[in-house]
Amino acid sequence: MSLEFHQIDAFTQQPFAGNPAIVYRLDSWLPEARMQAIAAEHNLAETAFVLKEGAVWHIRWFTPTCEVPLCGHATLASAFALFELHGESSARLDFICQSGALSVSRDGDRLVLDFPSLPGQAITASEAIKAALNVPVVEVLDTGKELLVVVESEQQVRDCQPNFAAVAKLPWLGMIVTALGQQHDFVSRYFAPAIGIDEDPVTGSIHCSLIPYWAERLGKQEFTAFQCSARGGELFCRLEGERVKIAGHAVLVASGRLHL
């Protein structure tokens, strides 16, 4: 048995930037343990598996160590694969996942994710949070699954060197660090060692919380954002009520077959 896969860099127009994801289009679901083993073999932040039932696509995402409930860049990569490599002709793809209904639409040369808005609640910055981050903290929010930490400047976001062992012990999937941007409305980085990702290059799903936060703080609904990891990636964001729109580009970098 062999399966076709594609490796796609999301939230970039250049190969070897943005966030890479592996995409498999399946005819039937594989056992969960097999999908997890495949993700571990690829050893990227996310491997996506998509399967069509009727008019709706079902999508699941796996890190090298676990399945996650929501992933932006691998959804963008999956839509790119379906549109550009598998001949999907519709202007919009509808997905079902653990977090509910999602969609991806074409907007010129960009693809636009339609995700839920997940605003956070302000909490006190504990000593454990401060020790894990090693950067002075302005504000901390609990988004439910993620910890969102606001710092004073873009340079502090770029210079941040968290204690990964301490971050992994916190009771969240990962830690988002953000500040006002210099050339973009805001910047961020994302650390998730507890799920096998010390730092994710570009993370669409964290913008479900970043967008409502910065909308309230800046008093506007539309933004440009940059995730300033080593690879880096640009996102075009908009708040629409209880939904967020997250747009970006993608590029194919490799295709192949996995032999089972």
Side-chain angles (χ1 to χ4, degrees), residues 60 77 83-84 91 124 141 155 160 176 188 194:
R60 297 175 71 176
F83 281 134
E84 303 298 331
T124 300
L141 294 89
Q155 196 60 49
C160 180
I176 308 162
S188 66

Side-chain angles (χ1 to χ4, degrees), residues 60-137:
R60 297 175 71 176
W61 311 276
F62 290 80
T63 78
T65 61
C66 66
E67 185 173 7
V68 294
L70 187 65
C71 179
H73 86 276
T75 304
L76 192 81
S78 297
F80 178 89
L82 294 173
F83 281 134
E84 303 298 331
L85 305 174
H86 292 291
E88 287 294 315
S89 59
S90 61
R92 166 175 156 166
L93 297 171
D94 292 298
F95 293 95
I96 296 294
C97 69
Q98 288 185 14
S99 298
L102 313 171
S103 70
V104 185
S105 303
R106 298 177 187 265
D107 182 12
D109 63 346
R110 296 178 189 166
L111 296 175
V112 184
L113 305 173
D114 183 331
F115 273 24
S117 175
L118 301 173
Q121 298 294 321
I123 61 172
T124 300
S126 68
E127 292 304 315
I129 293 172
K130 294 176 183 178
L133 187 56
N134 294 322
V135 172
V137 173

Side-chain angles (χ1 to χ4, degrees), residues 30-63:
L30 300 172
E32 186 172 309
R34 178 61 60 89
M35 290 190 287
Q36 184 63 72
I38 291 170
E41 183 72 13
H42 287 297
N43 200 32
L44 292 180
E46 303 288 348
T47 297
F49 299 89
V50 295
L51 185 150
K52 193 171 189 180
E53 294 183 353
V56 177
W57 289 92
H58 292 258
I59 186 166
R60 297 175 71 176
W61 311 276
F62 290 80
T63 78

Side-chain angles (χ1 to χ4, degrees), residues 7 18 62 76 101 116 120 128 149 157 160 170 172 199 221 258:
Q7 182 170 328
F62 290 80
L76 192 81
V149 181
V157 174
C160 180
L170 296 173
W172 293 275
E199 180 170 4
Q221 308 296 303
L258 180 77

